[in-house]
Amino acid sequence: MAVDYIVIVVYLAGMLVMGWWGMRRARSKSEFLVAGRRLGPVMYSGTMAAIVLGGASTIGGVGLGYQYGLSGAWMVFTIGLGLLALSVFFSARIARLKVYTVSEMLDLRYGGRAGVISGVVMWAYTLMLAVTSTIAYATIFDVLFDMDRTLAIVLGGSIVVAYSTLGGMWSITLTDMVQFVVKTVGVLLLLLPIAVVKAGGFSEMKAQLPTEYFDPLGIGGETIFTYVLIYTFGMLIGQDIWQRVFTARGDRTARWGGTVAGTYCLAYALAGAVIGTAAKVLYPNLASPDDAFATIVKDELPMGVRGLVLAAALAAVMSTSSGALIACATVANNDIWARLRGAVRPSDGEHDEVRGNRAFILIMGVGVICTAIALNNVVEALTVAYNLLVGGLLVPILGGLLWRRGTAQGALASVVVGGVTVITLMATRGILANEPVYYGLLSSLAAYLAVSLATPATDAAVLAAWRDRLAGRDPELVSEPVPAPQ
């Protein structure tokens, strides 16, 4: 294992070096939060794929393949479909808005009245997303070093918090590109073919396993529908995803770079399911499907390769964790604290926005690590995150992009009614029940339509400013100063 340890330590040290290097480039709010809005197609595609394919997509995707066979690909597959839909239909318009958060988009569209409430919902989503990724460190470091759960979470979480705090989105972008390459080599080019060969090839896998393991719909129609609601629609509106769209250099980068990333997700989904199916042949009686990834890596891969594949798992977790962390801090600072601070006393004009955002990443990072230590169930935390996101924010966001008649009152009613419905049903029916997201989404839509039609239409000047921003005729927010030439 010595070679494996060296590979992991070099990888982790490299992440910190990237964070330090990114700090030198993050000199303005735009540079720190959205990498100066100047990523080209290659970096944009790699970082977008890195953030959406996290520990749940890697370890969880293999676990679903172990449990259901090829149809276990559906969870990650629906993530890819959501990213494709976002890229093809919405990304160009989102990139032209030149904002930092989803709530700022809602303020622009509806006239500045939805920010704090929508910000709280989005903050809760990004916090839980960061927590689920941080919990996953315990699994990986347990395989590597037989490490105590709490220590593993603190170690992995501290590295992510360190490089994210240092350089913001620039550090995260640079580390995500490395993580994208490591995941591609480790999972697609090494673990996938080795797992299939060790299982005897596809013919042996078919001979050893029930036929339903090779049924594309074997996981069940209701489960697939729920995945579409939660993950496909969740990709359309999450702050962590939008904040990556904001980094694109232009419309074409956002559209085509995102399309490439979405297509990559589809391939990654199938690879995870095949690896899990191979693991079922090799280890038919594992205590938990989520043990499949760690078991096949530890027992079947040669020294050195094992370290690289475990580094790939770390890369998957770190990319999602860092993206969710900066999204959580951005929402907390810009959508919640800045508005409350402005309500208490106006800014003195000397506030260091980079330093303020850096402080919020550090604060949120400590909170994420502490929450991850207190929680045990990754699936429940992730379900809470996506139920709140889709049930509370999907309708007002897509409604604002697609329906002129939607109003601020309708958007607020939609967020409140959908969010309360989701929370109530999770409390009464169970967190993992399907009803919270179903009825939350329906009640959110009903409230949005009814209240919007019952209230005066959005002011014409607000809609005109919104159309100008969507068309790219109003390049920057007042709050985003252009850095002085150096």
Side-chain angles (χ1 to χ4, degrees):
M1 287 288 286
V3 175
D4 298 326
Y5 293 159
I6 292 172
V7 171
I8 297 297
V9 170
V10 169
Y11 169 76
L12 294 176
M15 296 300 98
L16 292 175
V17 171
M18 290 288 185
W20 183 262
W21 191 82
M23 183 177 66
R24 301 173 60 187
R25 305 193 64 168
R27 298 179 179 177
S28 69
K29 180 179 178 180
S30 177
E31 295 281 355
F32 190 82
L33 293 182
V34 290
R37 307 188 194 276
R38 51 181 175 164
L39 295 191
V42 174
M43 290 194 75
Y44 180 84
S45 298
T47 58
M48 182 63 87
I51 188 175
V52 300
L53 296 173
S57 299
T58 303
I59 299 171
V62 171
L64 287 171
Y66 182 89
Q67 188 172 3
Y68 298 105
L70 298 186
S71 67
W74 272 106
M75 184 187 76
V76 184
F77 200 83
T78 55
I79 291 173
L81 292 178
L83 186 52
L84 285 171
L86 174 72
S87 302
V88 172
F89 298 112
F90 299 108
S91 63
R93 282 184 282 178
I94 292 170
R96 290 188 208 119
L97 291 173
K98 302 293 183 185
V99 296
Y100 293 108
T101 68
V102 174
S103 294
E104 286 181 6
M105 167 264 169
L106 292 173
D107 281 352
L108 282 171
R109 168 59 181 83
Y110 295 112
R113 300 173 188 172
V116 174
I117 295 177
S118 62
V120 169
V121 175
M122 188 63 77
W123 174 80
Y125 156 73
T126 53
L127 178 70
M128 285 293 99
L129 189 61
V131 166
T132 59
S133 300
T134 304
I135 291 173
Y137 294 126
T139 300
I140 299 170
F141 280 108
D142 178 58
V143 174
L144 281 171
F145 308 115
D146 193 23
M147 187 179 290
D148 174 74
R149 177 182 183 275
T150 298
L151 182 59
I153 289 173
V154 171
L155 175 60
S158 296
I159 293 171
V160 170
V161 171
Y163 72 69
S164 300
T165 302
L166 285 173
M169 187 59 81
W170 266 122
S171 294
I172 292 170
T173 296
L174 295 170
T175 55
D176 277 0
M177 277 305 298
V178 175
Q179 290 159 356
F180 171 73
V181 172
V182 171
K183 278 192 288 193
T184 301
V185 174
V187 175
L188 296 184
L189 302 184
L190 292 176
L191 182 57
L192 174 61
I194 290 174
V196 172
V197 170
K198 291 285 187 178
F202 285 103
S203 58
E204 183 65 19
M205 290 162 62
K206 288 185 177 180
Q208 292 287 334
L209 296 173
T211 55
E212 56 263 28
Y213 264 72
F214 302 91
D215 180 357
L217 303 179
I219 199 169
E222 184 178 357
T223 299
I224 295 171
F225 179 68
T226 302
Y227 285 160
V228 170
L229 277 185
I230 293 177
Y231 298 115
T232 300
F233 286 123
M235 288 295 107
L236 298 180
I237 58 173
Q239 169 68 25
D240 53 322
I241 308 302
W242 277 41
Q243 199 156 343
R244 292 311 173 98
V245 176
F246 300 151
T247 66
R249 181 188 299 161
D251 293 3
R252 286 180 59 84
T253 297
R255 183 180 295 112
W256 293 108
T259 300
V260 170
T263 304
Y264 178 89
C265 291
L266 303 183
Y268 201 87
L270 185 58
V274 171
I275 293 168
T277 304
K280 184 67 175 179
V281 174
L282 295 168
Y283 311 100
N285 299 311
L286 291 179
S288 168
D290 285 340
D291 293 337
F293 179 88
T295 303
I296 197 170
V297 168
K298 187 160 65 172
D299 293 351
E300 302 297 337
L301 299 186
M303 185 172 56
V305 173
R306 179 170 52 225
L308 184 59
V309 173
L310 287 172
L314 271 177
V317 175
M318 284 184 164
S319 57
T320 299
S321 181
S322 59
L325 176 59
I326 194 172
C328 179
T330 302
V331 171
N333 189 19
N334 292 269
D335 291 338
I336 301 173
W337 172 244
R339 294 166 195 264
L340 296 176
R341 181 174 181 270
V344 175
R345 60 180 178 84
S347 173
D348 58 11
E350 298 296 327
H351 182 55
D352 185 336
E353 292 191 275
V354 172
R355 185 169 60 187
N357 282 290
R358 185 173 281 135
F360 263 86
I361 291 179
L362 180 59
I363 294 168
M364 292 297 109
V366 172
V368 164
I369 291 172
C370 293
T371 306
I373 292 171
L375 294 180
N376 286 312
N377 196 310
V378 177
V379 175
E380 287 190 359
L382 193 64
T383 301
V384 169
Y386 275 98
N387 281 352
L388 284 172
L389 179 71
V390 174
L393 290 178
L394 177 68
V395 170
I397 292 171
L398 293 189
L401 290 169
L402 300 174
W403 191 41
R404 286 172 52 88
R405 188 61 182 81
T407 67
Q409 295 89 340
L412 284 171
S414 179
V415 173
V416 172
V417 172
V420 169
T421 301
V422 165
I423 292 170
T424 301
L425 288 176
M426 283 194 296
T428 57
R429 299 293 182 90
I431 290 175
L432 299 180
N434 291 327
E435 288 86 353
V437 70
Y438 291 169
Y439 292 113
L441 192 55
L442 287 174
S443 63
S444 178
L445 177 60
Y448 182 70
L449 293 175
V451 176
S452 291
L453 292 173
T455 53
T458 303
D459 184 85
V462 172
L463 287 177
W466 167 253
R467 287 193 296 271
D468 285 343
R469 185 63 68 87
L470 281 179
R473 292 190 289 267
D474 189 8
E476 298 288 340
L477 283 173
V478 176
S479 63
E480 183 177 328
V482 178
Q486 299 186 13

